[in-house]
C-alpha cells in the first residue's frame, strides 16, 4: 500500500505540477493587478516537489492518510478506508476520490479561466469608458472655451453698436447745433442788414432832398415836338373814374383768365368722367355672372342692385353731366367697388391656376379634371379602336388585292366571282328569253292584224273608190284645185292612222315595257321607233286617201320590220 | 441797330445796309428799341442823359437829362411812349412821357436784379419797392400810370419779380440765402408760397412756360423744380448729375475734327481764306454712348456768388422743351422734354456756354460758347456752324430775330447776322 502510494503520488504530483505550472504561467501572463489578486500563495515548482514530499513522508503515512480521510469526508467524499476503523485502504474509493478531485480541479480551473476572461473584458471596457470620458471632457472644455470666445465677440459688437449709436447721436446733435447756429447767425445778419439799410435809406433821403432842393435846370426833357400816343388817343386826366375803370379792367382780366381755366378744367372733368363711365361698363362686362357664389352674393347683392339701379338712373338722366358732389362720389365709389370685385375675381383665377399647377386638390377642380381625364381616355380608346379597325381592314384589303400564295383560295374566290356573274347572266338570259317570247307573240299578233288590216284596206279602197267617183262626179264643178293627191292620202292616212295609232299605242306600250327591262341602248331605239308612229297622225289630218293607204300600209310593216330589226340589234 | 461808341447805326436786317446814322453826346451804354420799332433810346449813364431817336423822322430828337440825379438804368414802357429812368442809388424811377412831357415818380424802388416787370400785353407794370426794411410790390396801370395795388411781400430780401405770360400771376422770389418763391395774383392776393428747403443757397433763376402752365425754378443745389399753375405745388424735380446713365438720353458731344489738308495744293503765299480755314478747327457733333460723365467744376467755397446751380433756364416757345445750364457743368446744355418730364438731350461743348436762346417760332435752340461757332439744336438733330471770316470771331452772345429766320451773333467788337434757310417743302 505504501509502495503504491509512493508510486501514484509522484505521478499525481507531476501532473499537478504541470497543471500548477500551467496555471502559474497563466497567472504570470495575466495583467499584474489581476494576478496580484488571484495569485495563490503557491511555492515555486521546485518547492512544490518538496512540499509534496514534505506533506507525506515514510514516518507519518498513517497520519497523512487519516488527515486526507478527514479532509475528504468533510468535503463530502466517501471515506478512503475500506471499512470504518480499519487501517486498510479502499483503493477504489481512493481512486474515485482522486478522480473526483481531479474533476473538481478541472472545474475550478475552468471557472478560474472564465473569471479571468471576464476580468479582462471588464478591464478593457473600463479602459474604453475612461477614454471616452477623457474625450468628452476635452470636448466640453473646448466648447466652453468657444462659448467664452463668442460671448466676448458679442460683447465687443454690442459695444461697437453702442459706440456707433453714440456717434450718430453726436452727429445729429452737431447738425442740430449747426442749424441753430446758422439760424441765429442769419437772424443776426438780418438785423445788421436792416440796420445798415436804414442808415442807407437815411442817406438816400438826404441825397434826395439835396437833389430836389437844388432844382437843377438840367433835369428836364427836351423834345422837338410832342409825339402822338401809340394808340392815337389823347391823354386823360387821372380821376377817380379812371381809378375805378382801372380796377374794373384788372378784375376783368383776372376773371377772364379764371373763366378760361375753369372751362378747361370742366372739359377735362367731363372727359375723365366719360372715361370712368366706360371703364365701369367694361369692368361690369368683364366680371362673371355672380350666380355661382351665393355667399358673396348675399353681401354684395343688395348693394349691387342698389348701385345698378342708381347707375341706371344716372345713365338715364345723364346726370353725369352735372358735377355735384354726391354724383361724383357715387361714381367713384361704384367704380372702386367694381374694380375691387374684378381684382378679387382675377386673384381667384390666379389662385386656381396656381393650384392646378401645384396639383393641390379642390372639389371643383378635381371634378372637372376627372371629367376631363375620363373624356380624354374615352377618346383615346375610341381612337385606338378605330385605328385597329383601319389596320385590320387595310390588311384584309391587302390580302385581297395581292394574290395570295394559296391557289385553292384564289380559285375559290374566282369561282365565287364567276358564280356571281354567271347567276346574273343566267337571270338576264331568262329575261331575254321571256322577252323574246313576248316579241314573238306580238309579232304573230301583229302579222295577223296586218293581214286583217290589208283585207280591210282593200275593202275600204273599193268603197272609197266608188265614193270618190260619186263625189267627183257631184263636185267636179266645185273643185278645180288638184288636192286630190294629198287629200285622199291624208284622209286615208287619218283613218288608217287612227287604227294604226291604237295599235301603235299598244305596241308602244309593249315596246316601252320591254325596253325598260333591257339595257339602255335598246331603250334609245324605242322612242325613235315611237316617234314615226306619232308623227304620222299629225301629218295626216284632213281626209284619207286610198292611194296613201297602201304606202302607209306598206310603210307600217316596213316600220315594223325596221323596229323589229332595231330591237334585235 | 447797333451802337459803336457814341454812334448809333441802324441797319436793315436782310441786307445789313446802313439806313441811319445818329450821333450821341457820349458813349452809349444801353440801347433799346421801342415796342413799335419807331424809336430807339440811347442811354448814357455817365452823363445821365437819354437820347431818343426816331426812324421815321431822322430830324426829330429828344433828350432827357437826369442831371445830378444820375442814371443807372433806362427802359421803355410797353406802349413805346414812356421812358423809365432809374436814378442813381435807386432813389427813384422817373417816368418821362414823350406824349405829354409829363413826369411821374416812383419812390423807393428796389435795387435788385429784376425790379421792374411788365406784363406781356403791356397793361400792367410791377415794381419792387423797399420801405423801412420791408419789401413791397406795386402794380401800376401802364396806360395812365395809376397805382393799382400795393402790397407787401413776405420775403427777406426780394431778388426779382416776373409776370407769367398770361399776365395774371406774378412770381416774386427771395434772395439766394432763402429759398422762397411767392406767387401773387394780379389783384395782389398771395396765391401760394413754395419753399423747397432751408438754409442752403436757394433760387438762382426762374422761367415761366409760355402757356403759364409751369414755373421752372432753378436753384443752387443743381436742381430744377417745376411747379404747376393749378396747385402751385412741385410737379417734378430735374436733377443735373455729372454722370448721365439713362439710356434714353442722347448726348451730343462736340468733337474737334482737324481739316484734311492736301499738301500738294498748297501754294505760297497761301490765300487768306485757306489760311484761316487751315488754322481754324472744325467741329462736329458725335453721339456719345451712355453712360457719359461730364466735366464737373467745383467752385471755391469761400467766395460769394459761387458758380454753381442752375444759372440759365429757358422754355421753348411751343412749351415742349426746357433748356437749362448747370453752372457746375458749364460745358453742357441740358434739354428736357416737358411733355414727358424727362431728360431728352445733353449737348456737351468744348468750351463753357455763354448763352443760349430759343427760336421764337420753332423749338430750335441756338447756343454760343465763346468760340467762333454757333450751335443749333432742334429735335431733328444738332449742328455746329462756323462763322466764316477772317480772324477769330468769338461769339459772346446771340439773339434771334422775331420771325426765327435769322439771328444776330455778337462778339466783343463785331457782330454778324446768321440767316437760317427755311426748308422748301
Amino acid at each position: 500500500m505504501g509502495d503504491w502510494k509512493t508510486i501514484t503520488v509522484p505521478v499525481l504530483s507531476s501532473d499537478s505540477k504541470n497543471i500548477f505550472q500551467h496555471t502559474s504561467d497563466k497567472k504570470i501572463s495575466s495583467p499584474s493587478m489581476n494576478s496580484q489578486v488571484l495569485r495563490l500563495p503557491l511555492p515555486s515548482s521546485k518547492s512544490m516537489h518538496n512540499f509534496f514530499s514534505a506533506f507525506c513522508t515514510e514516518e507519518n503515512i498513517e497520519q497523512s492518510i487519516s488527515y486526507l480521510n478527514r479532509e475528504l469526508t468533510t468535503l463530502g467524499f466517501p471515506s478512503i478506508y475500506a471499512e470504518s476503523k480499519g487501517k486498510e485502504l479502499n483503493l477504489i474509493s481512493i481512486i474515485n476520490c482522486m478522480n473526483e478531485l481531479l474533476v473538481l480541479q478541472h472545474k475550478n480551473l475552468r471557472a478560474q479561466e472564465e473569471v479571468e476572461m471576464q476580468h479582462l473584458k471588464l478591464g478593457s471596457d473600463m479602459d474604453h469608458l475612461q477614454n471616452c470620458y477623457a474625450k468628452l471632457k476635452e470636448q466640453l472644455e473646448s466648447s466652453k472655451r468657444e462659448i467664452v470666445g463668442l460671448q466676448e465677440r458679442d460683447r465687443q459688437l454690442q459695444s461697437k453698436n453702442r459706440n456707433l449709436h453714440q456717434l450718430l447721436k453726436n452727429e445729429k446733435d452737431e447738425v442740430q447745433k449747426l442749424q441753430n447756429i446758422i439760424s441765429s447767425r442769419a437772424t443776426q445778419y438780418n438785423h445788421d442788414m436792416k440796420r445798415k439799410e436804414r442808415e442807407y435809406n437815411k442817406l438816400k433821403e438826404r441825397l434826395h432832398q439835396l437833389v430836389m432842393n437844388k432844382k437843377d435846370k438840367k433835369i428836364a426833357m427836351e423834345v422837338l415836338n410832342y409825339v402822338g400816343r401809340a394808340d392815337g388817343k389823347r391823354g386823360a386826366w387821372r380821376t377817380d373814374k379812371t381809378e375805378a375803370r382801372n380796377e374794373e379792367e384788372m378784375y376783368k382780366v383776372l376773371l377772364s383768365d379764371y373763366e378760361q381755366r375753369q372751362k378747361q378744367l370742366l372739359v377735362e372733368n367731363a372727359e375723365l368722367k366719360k372715361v370712368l363711365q366706360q371703364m365701369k361698363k367694361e369692368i361690369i362686362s368683364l366680371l362673371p355672372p355672380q350666380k355661382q357664389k351665393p355667399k358673396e352674393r348675399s353681401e354684395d347683392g343688395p348693394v349691387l342692385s342698389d348701385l345698378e339701379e342708381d347707375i341706371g338712373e344716372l345713365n338715364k338722366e345723364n346726370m353725369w353731366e352735372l358735377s355735384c358732389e354726391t354724383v361724383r362720389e357715387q361714381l367713384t365709389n361704384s367704380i372702386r367697388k367694381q374694380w375691387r370685385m374684378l381684382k378679387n375675381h382675377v386673384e381667384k383665377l390666379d389662385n386656381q391656376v396656381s393650384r392646378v399647377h401645384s396639383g393641390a386638390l379642390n372639389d371643383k377642380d378635381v371634378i372637372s379634371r376627372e371629367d376631363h381625364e375620363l373624356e380624354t381616355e374615352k377618346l383615346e380608346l375610341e381612337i385606338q379602336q378605330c385605328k385597329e379597325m383601319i389596320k385590320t381592314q387595310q390588311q384584309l384589303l391587302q390580302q385581297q388585292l395581292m394574290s395570295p400564295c394559296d391557289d385553292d383560295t384564289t380559285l375559290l374566290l374566282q369561282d365565287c366571282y364567276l358564280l356571281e356573274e354567271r347567276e346574273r347572266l343566267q337571270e338576264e338570259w331568262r329575261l331575254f328569253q321571256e322577252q323574246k317570247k313576248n316579241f314573238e307573240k306580238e309579232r304573230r299578233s301583229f302579222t295577223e292584224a296586218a293581214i286583217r288590216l290589208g283585207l280591210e284596206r282593200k275593202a275600204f279602197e273599193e268603197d272609197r273608190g266608188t265614193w270618190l267617183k260619186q263625189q267627183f262626179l257631184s263636185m267636179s264643178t266645185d273643185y278645180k284645185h288638184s288636192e286630190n293627191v294629198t287629200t285622199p292620202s291624208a284622209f286615208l292616212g287619218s283613218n288608217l292612222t287612227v287604227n294604226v295609232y291604237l295599235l301603235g299605242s299598244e305596241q308602244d306600250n309593249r315596246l316601252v315595257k320591254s325596253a325598260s327591262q333591257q339595257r339602255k341602248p335598246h331603250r334609245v331605239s324605242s322612242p325613235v321607233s315611237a316617234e314615226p308612229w306619232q308623227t304620222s297622225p299629225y301629218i295626216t289630218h284632213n281626209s284619207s286617201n286610198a292611194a296613201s293607204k297602201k304606202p302607209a300600209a306598206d310603210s307600217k310593216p316596213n316600220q315594223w320590220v325596221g323596229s323589229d330589226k332595231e330591237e334585235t340589234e | 441797330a447797333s451802337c459803336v461808341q457814341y454812334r448809333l447805326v441802324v441797319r436793315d436786317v436782310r441786307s445789313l445796309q446802313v439806313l441811319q446814322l445818329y450821333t450821341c453826346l457820349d458813349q452809349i451804354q444801353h440801347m433799346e428799341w421801342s415796342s413799335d420799332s419807331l424809336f430807339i433810346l440811347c442811354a448814357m449813364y455817365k452823363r445821365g442823359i437819354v437820347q431818343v431817336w426816331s426812324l421815321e423822322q431822322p430830324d426829330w430828337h429828344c433828350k432827357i437829362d437826369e442831371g445830378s440825379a444820375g442814371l443807372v438804368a433806362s427802359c421803355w414802357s410797353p406802349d413805346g411812349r414812356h421812358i423809365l429812368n432809374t436814378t442813381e442809388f435807386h432813389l427813384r424811377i422817373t417816368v418821362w412821357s414823350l406824349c405829354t412831357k409829363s413826369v411821374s415818380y416812383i419812390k423807393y424802388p428796389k435795387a435788385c436784379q429784376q425790379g421792374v416787370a411788365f406784363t406781356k400785353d403791356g397793361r400792367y407794370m410791377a415794381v419792387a419797392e423797399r420801405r423801412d426794411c420791408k419789401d413791397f410790390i406795386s402794380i401800376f396801370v401802364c396806360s395812365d400810370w395809376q397805382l393799382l395795388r400795393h402790397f407787401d411781400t413776405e420775403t427777406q430780401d426780394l431778388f426779382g419779380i416776373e409776370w407769367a405770360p398770361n399776365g395774371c400771376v406774378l412770381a416774386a422770389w427771395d434772395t439766394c440765402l432763402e429759398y422762397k418763391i411767392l406767387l401773387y395774383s394780379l389783384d395782389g392776393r398771395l396765391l401760394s408760397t413754395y419753399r423747397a428747403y432751408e438754409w442752403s443757397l436757394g433760387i438762382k433763376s426762374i422761367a415761366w412756360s409760355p402757356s403759364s402752365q409751369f414755373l421752372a425754378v432753378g436753384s443752387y443745389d443743381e436742381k430744377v423744380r417745376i411747379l404747376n399753375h393749378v396747385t402751385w405745388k412741385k410737379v417734378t424735380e430735374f436733377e443735373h448729375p455729372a454722370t448721365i446713365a439713362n439710356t434714353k438720353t442722347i448726348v451730343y458731344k462736340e468733337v474737334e475734327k482737324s481739316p484734311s489738308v492736301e499738301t500738294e495744293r498748297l501754294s505760297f503765299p497761301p490765300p487768306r481764306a485757306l489760311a484761316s480755314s487751315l488754322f481754324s478747327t472744325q467741329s462736329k457733333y458725335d453721339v456719345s454712348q451712355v453712360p457719359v460723365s461730364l466735366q464737373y467744376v467745383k467752385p471755391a467755397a469761400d467766395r460769394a456768388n459761387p458758380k454753381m446751380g442752375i444759372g440759365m433756364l429757358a422754355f421753348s416757345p411751343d412749351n415742349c422743351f426746357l433748356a437749362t445750364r448747370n453752372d457746375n457743368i458749364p460745358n453742357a446744355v441740358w434739354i428736357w422734354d416737358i411733355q414727358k418730364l424727362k431728360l431728352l438731350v445733353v449737348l456737351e461743348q468744348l468750351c463753357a456756354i455763354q448763352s443760349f436762346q430759343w427760336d421764337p417760332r420753332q423749338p430750335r435752340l441756338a447756343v454760343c460758347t465763346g468760340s467762333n461757332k454757333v450751335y443749333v439744336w432742334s429735335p431733328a438733330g444738332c449742328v455746329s456752324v462756323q462763322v466764316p471770316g477772317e480772324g477769330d470771331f468769338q461769339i459772346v452772345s446771340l439773339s434771334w430775330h422775331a420771325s426765327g429766320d435769322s439771328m444776330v451773333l455778337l462778339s466783343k467788337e463785331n457782330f454778324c447776322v446768321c440767316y437760317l434757310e427755311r426748308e422748301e417743302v
Side-chain angles (χ1 to χ4, degrees):
Chain A
M1 281 293 246
D3 292 337
W4 261 40
K5 285 170 206 167
T6 53
I7 294 163
T8 56
V9 167
V11 171
L12 233 184
S13 66
S14 65
D15 281 337
S16 62
K17 213 203 303 179
N18 288 335
I19 290 160
F20 276 127
Q21 270 182 350
H22 186 58
T23 54
S24 66
D25 282 341
K26 263 207 220 150
K27 275 158 194 159
I28 288 161
S29 66
S30 70
S32 59
M33 275 206 302
N34 303 331
S35 61
Q36 277 170 13
V37 173
L38 283 173
R39 195 173 269 149
L40 298 165
L42 284 171
S44 60
S45 51
K46 282 183 185 171
S47 58
M48 239 187 272
H49 195 70
N50 296 336
F51 176 66
F52 282 129
S53 56
F55 174 66
C56 182
T57 54
E58 285 178 4
E59 294 125 20
N60 55 355
I61 285 173
E62 285 185 18
Q63 283 172 359
S64 56
I65 288 170
S66 63
Y67 170 72
L68 277 172
N69 187 38
R70 252 185 282 129
E71 287 293 315
L72 286 166
T73 47
T74 50
L75 282 171
F77 289 109
S79 166
I80 52 175
Y81 287 126
E83 284 161 10
S84 55
K85 284 193 183 171
K87 283 199 185 165
E88 285 182 9
L89 296 165
N90 190 351
L91 192 65
I92 292 167
S93 66
I94 288 168
I95 288 169
N96 284 334
C97 291
M98 265 171 53
N99 186 36
E100 282 181 33
L101 282 168
L102 279 172
V103 165
L104 202 66
Q105 171 76 345
H106 280 306
K107 254 198 252 170
N108 288 336
L109 281 173
R110 253 179 272 135
Q112 199 181 31
E113 273 181 36
E114 277 179 31
V115 166
E116 277 175 7
M117 282 292 291
Q118 234 185 9
H119 186 253
L120 284 171
K121 271 190 207 162
L122 286 170
S124 68
D125 280 343
M126 269 279 274
D127 284 339
H128 177 70
L129 284 169
Q130 274 183 353
N131 285 339
C132 287
Y133 172 70
K135 274 188 216 160
L136 285 169
K137 236 186 163 179
E138 273 179 42
Q139 271 186 10
L140 183 71
E141 272 179 31
S142 64
S143 57
K144 273 190 190 164
R145 261 180 270 134
E146 260 189 60
I147 284 170
V148 165
L150 286 170
Q151 276 181 347
E152 260 299 315
R153 241 193 26 197
D154 182 43
R155 242 178 283 139
Q156 277 178 10
L157 287 171
Q158 275 199 353
S159 68
K160 248 198 205 174
N161 197 18
R162 257 180 275 128
N163 286 343
L164 287 171
H165 271 297
Q166 197 62 38
L167 278 174
L168 182 68
K169 241 173 68 174
N170 291 344
E171 292 292 321
K172 277 192 185 161
D173 289 338
E174 259 193 64
V175 163
Q176 195 62 39
K177 248 197 282 175
L178 284 170
Q179 277 193 339
N180 292 337
I181 288 170
I182 289 171
S183 61
S184 64
R185 280 183 93 120
T187 47
Q188 187 65 35
Y189 284 142
N190 285 336
H191 183 73
D192 279 342
M193 277 279 288
K194 281 198 182 129
R195 201 156 38 90
K196 293 231 161 80
E197 224 190 297
R198 272 184 223 119
E199 262 194 61
Y200 174 64
N201 282 338
K202 277 187 213 158
L203 280 169
K204 262 174 47 172
E205 286 288 319
R206 202 66 209 284
L207 186 63
H208 198 225
Q209 278 174 13
L210 283 169
V211 164
M212 293 310 286
N213 284 341
K214 258 194 177 179
K215 293 225 175 155
D216 239 331
K217 284 180 192 173
K218 282 187 187 175
I219 301 175
M221 185 164 97
E222 251 181 61
V223 187
L224 191 63
N225 49 0
Y226 290 117
V227 181
R229 274 174 80 95
D231 45 1
K233 286 186 201 164
R234 287 199 191 171
W237 292 104
R238 274 195 236 164
T239 53
D240 290 335
K241 254 193 188 175
T242 53
E243 265 185 51
R245 215 181 346 114
N246 286 332
E247 293 262 320
E248 232 185 83
E249 274 187 37
M250 176 190 81
Y251 282 122
K252 266 187 209 169
V253 165
L254 273 177
L255 277 171
S256 62
D257 181 59
Y258 280 131
E259 269 172 25
Q260 215 184 35
R261 258 199 269 169
Q262 206 205 8
K263 267 184 223 169
Q264 281 177 5
L265 287 169
L266 273 175
V267 164
E268 242 189 82
N269 239 7
E271 274 181 34
L272 288 169
K273 271 188 198 163
K274 263 190 235 173
V275 166
L276 280 174
Q277 287 271 345
Q278 277 176 11
M279 262 177 62
K280 198 176 68 172
K281 277 179 202 165
E282 278 171 26
I283 288 171
I284 290 171
S285 67
L286 271 176
L287 284 172
Q290 284 147 343
K291 291 169 190 173
Q292 290 171 2
K293 295 188 179 173
K295 284 183 193 174
E296 293 192 25
R297 180 105 171 95
S298 62
E299 287 176 11
D300 295 342
V303 177
L304 259 180
S305 58
D306 286 342
L307 275 173
E308 295 276 353
E309 285 171 17
D310 289 342
I311 290 157
E313 281 177 20
L314 285 172
N315 285 338
K316 281 177 206 167
E317 299 174 11
N318 280 339
M319 273 174 73
W320 57 271
E321 278 175 1
L322 301 172
S323 61
C324 49
E325 190 83 12
T326 47
V327 171
R328 198 162 27 95
E329 271 180 29
Q330 275 179 7
L331 184 63
T332 49
N333 285 337
S334 68
I335 282 182
R336 272 195 213 125
K337 273 190 190 140
Q338 300 289 340
W339 181 251
R340 238 180 284 144
M341 278 157 58
L342 181 70
K343 206 172 70 170
N344 288 337
H345 183 67
V346 168
E347 276 170 18
K348 266 179 243 153
L349 287 171
D350 278 339
N351 286 339
Q352 277 185 9
V353 166
S354 63
R355 260 183 264 154
V356 163
H357 281 303
S358 62
L361 291 176
N362 195 11
D363 287 330
K364 286 186 190 173
D365 296 343
V366 166
I367 288 166
S368 62
R369 214 175 159 196
E370 275 181 3
D371 286 341
H372 181 70
E373 277 173 11
L374 281 168
E375 278 196 51
T376 49
E377 279 175 18
K378 277 186 219 166
L379 288 167
E380 275 171 24
L381 278 169
E382 276 187 48
I383 288 165
Q384 275 183 2
Q385 284 170 3
C386 291
K387 275 187 191 168
E388 279 165 21
M389 270 173 65
I390 289 165
K391 271 184 207 168
T392 49
Q393 282 187 352
Q394 269 187 353
Q395 279 173 9
L396 285 169
L397 259 174
Q398 276 181 3
Q399 278 178 5
Q400 284 186 355
L401 284 172
M402 291 186 359
S403 55
C405 318
D406 227 354
D407 285 340
D408 291 337
T409 50
T410 50
L411 280 167
L412 271 171
L413 283 168
Q414 280 175 2
D415 280 346
C416 290
Y417 286 133
L418 284 167
L419 276 168
E420 267 191 59
E421 281 209 44
R422 206 191 257 176
E423 278 172 25
R424 248 188 284 136
L425 283 167
Q426 276 178 353
E427 272 194 53
E428 282 175 9
W429 187 254
R430 255 185 277 126
L431 281 167
F432 183 61
Q433 292 291 336
E434 278 180 38
Q435 280 174 4
K436 215 177 171 183
K437 281 175 200 169
N438 289 336
F439 283 140
E440 289 286 316
K441 279 183 206 167
E442 280 174 9
R443 203 193 248 177
R444 266 178 253 137
S445 61
F446 284 145
T447 45
E448 283 169 17
I451 292 158
R452 264 188 272 128
L453 266 171
L455 290 166
E456 279 176 12
R457 214 187 251 169
K458 274 178 191 171
F460 184 65
E461 285 279 326
E462 285 164 15
D463 288 336
R464 201 175 147 211
T466 50
W467 188 78
L468 275 170
K469 276 173 193 174
Q470 286 172 7
Q471 285 275 334
F472 191 60
L473 287 164
S474 64
M475 287 193 297
S476 62
T477 52
D478 292 343
Y479 279 106
K480 283 180 184 180
H481 264 291
S482 59
E483 283 186 349
N484 303 328
V485 186
T486 52
T487 45
S489 64
F491 188 68
L492 261 177
S494 65
N495 279 340
L496 277 171
T497 51
V498 170
N499 294 328
V500 165
Y501 191 56
L502 281 170
L503 274 173
S505 64
E506 283 180 16
Q507 203 182 11
D508 276 342
N509 287 334
R510 278 195 209 151
L511 273 173
V512 166
K513 275 186 196 168
S514 63
S516 64
Q517 284 174 359
Q518 286 170 11
R519 290 203 186 147
K520 275 185 188 177
H522 292 262
R523 236 180 150 192
V524 169
S525 62
S526 57
V528 171
S529 57
E531 275 167 17
W533 291 104
Q534 284 175 351
T535 49
S536 49
Y538 292 116
I539 296 166
T540 58
H541 192 63
N542 288 332
S543 53
S544 59
N545 198 1
S548 68
K549 211 183 181 182
K550 277 178 192 173
D554 286 335
S555 68
K556 269 183 264 162
N558 284 334
Q559 281 178 339
W560 278 22
V561 168
S563 68
D564 271 340
K565 274 187 191 167
E566 282 177 81
E567 279 171 18
T568 50
E569 281 170 16
Chain B
S2 66
C3 51
V4 183
Q5 292 243 315
Y6 57 92
R7 252 183 262 142
L8 177 68
V9 184
V10 182
R11 292 172 196 267
D12 179 59
V13 168
R14 282 198 207 106
S15 59
L16 287 181
Q17 211 182 18
V18 175
L19 290 172
Q20 299 282 352
L21 187 66
Y22 304 103
T23 315
C24 293
L25 297 165
D26 200 4
Q27 198 178 35
I28 302 170
Q29 256 93 35
H30 177 74
M31 178 199 66
E32 196 175 322
W33 281 89
S34 71
S35 56
D36 53 1
S37 300
L38 289 176
F39 298 99
I40 307 173
L41 76 81
C42 306
M44 291 140 267
Y45 296 145
K46 284 183 194 161
R47 284 274 286 264
I49 296 173
V50 176
Q51 276 188 286
V52 188
W53 304 100
S54 158
L55 274 184
E56 285 178 316
Q57 302 170 13
D59 300 330
W60 185 90
H61 65 271
C62 167
K63 187 174 84 171
I64 300 170
D65 193 346
E66 286 288 342
S68 42
L71 192 62
V72 170
S74 175
C75 67
W76 283 101
S77 74
D79 61 359
R81 295 289 176 270
H82 295 84
I83 295 172
L84 286 91
N85 285 346
T86 315
T87 58
E88 222 164 341
F89 303 116
H90 286 84
L91 277 179
R92 58 164 194 260
I93 296 180
T94 330
V95 184
W96 298 91
S97 164
L98 289 175
C99 323
T100 60
K101 223 180 172 184
S102 63
V103 180
S104 314
Y105 293 104
I106 299 172
K107 277 188 117 178
Y108 308 115
K110 180 100 196 254
C112 58
Q113 214 178 44
Q114 269 174 264
V116 175
F118 292 99
T119 59
K120 203 167 171 191
D121 52 7
R123 277 219 206 141
Y124 302 102
M125 175 180 82
V127 179
E129 296 175 10
R130 193 167 175 99
R131 279 174 226 249
D132 298 330
C133 310
K134 273 209 88 169
D135 291 318
F136 295 90
I137 293 179
S138 303
I139 300 181
F140 291 91
V141 183
C142 289
S143 49
D144 53 7
W145 304 109
Q146 212 171 29
L147 176 66
L148 193 63
R149 283 281 187 278
H150 180 80
F151 51 90
D152 65 337
T153 63
E154 295 160 15
T155 52
Q156 294 275 352
D157 189 10
L158 187 61
F159 197 66
I161 51 176
E162 193 167 326
W163 285 101
N166 65 358
C168 295
V169 182
L170 179 69
W173 63 97
D174 212 342
T175 174
C176 55
L177 291 172
E178 281 269 333
Y179 193 122
K180 203 188 232 182
I181 182 154
L182 299 149
L183 292 135
Y184 291 95
S185 90
L186 181 57
D187 57 349
R189 289 176 296 123
L190 175 64
L191 291 170
S192 170
T193 316
Y194 179 69
R195 252 197 129 155
Y197 51 78
E198 277 192 296
W199 302 128
S200 281
L201 289 178
I203 303 173
K204 197 163 184 186
S205 57
I206 75 156
W208 282 97
S209 78
S211 61
S212 309
Q213 265 179 319
F214 299 111
L215 176 63
V217 180
S219 48
Y220 280 91
D221 63 346
E222 301 179 43
K223 284 194 202 164
V224 176
R225 291 175 177 81
I226 309 273
L227 310 177
N228 78 82
H229 74 309
V230 179
T231 58
W232 300 115
K233 294 254 184 325
K234 181 180 82 170
V235 170
T236 180
E237 261 180 23
F238 290 149
E239 280 194 17
H240 297 73
T243 43
I244 304 162
N246 192 358
T247 46
K248 290 191 185 162
T249 323
I250 311 168
V251 180
Y252 291 104
K253 193 183 161 89
E254 191 195 350
V255 162
E256 268 194 18
K257 63 173 186 192
S258 52
S260 57
V261 177
E262 294 171 9
T263 46
E264 291 166 0
R265 288 262 222 96
L266 275 180
S267 60
F268 196 80
R272 272 191 145 177
L274 195 58
S276 58
S277 67
L278 271 176
F279 292 113
S280 62
T281 48
Q282 300 227 315
S283 72
K284 61 179 175 88
Y285 276 107
D286 259 345
V287 180
S288 312
Q289 287 296 323
V290 167
V292 172
S293 66
L294 300 163
Q295 210 181 6
Y296 188 85
V297 173
K298 216 173 176 186
D302 54 350
R303 280 175 140 227
N305 297 327
K307 284 210 166 125
M308 56 190 261
I310 313 296
M312 290 194 219
L313 280 176
F315 273 96
S316 73
D318 59 350
N319 210 12
C320 287
F321 304 105
L322 171 68
T324 64
R325 183 186 93 142
N326 182 1
D327 293 340
N328 280 85
I329 307 169
N331 290 7
V333 178
W334 308 65
I335 300 177
W336 307 82
D337 187 346
I338 295 297
Q339 282 168 338
K340 293 177 199 164
L341 291 177
K342 267 196 210 168
L343 178 60
L344 190 68
V345 169
V346 175
L347 299 173
E348 195 182 342
Q349 311 294 132
L350 291 167
C351 315
I353 293 171
Q354 299 288 333
S355 80
F356 54 73
Q357 203 182 26
W358 287 98
D359 181 340
R361 293 276 175 90
Q362 300 172 41
R364 268 200 296 206
L365 183 69
V367 181
C368 68
T369 65
S371 66
N372 61 346
K373 297 175 205 75
V374 66
Y375 310 93
V376 181
W377 175 88
S378 77
C382 58
V383 69
S384 102
V385 181
Q386 195 182 20
V387 173
E390 306 159 15
D392 268 337
F393 189 91
Q394 312 281 4
I395 305 175
V396 171
S397 74
L398 52 83
S399 174
W400 282 91
H401 190 265
S403 67
D405 282 335
S406 54
M407 57 178 160
V408 169
L409 307 166
L410 296 156
S411 78
K412 278 191 184 157
E413 284 160 25
N414 309 321
F415 80 93
C416 75
V417 180
C418 167
Y419 297 98
L420 287 106
E421 269 179 17
R422 207 170 270 189
E423 249 181 60
E424 299 293 324
V425 178

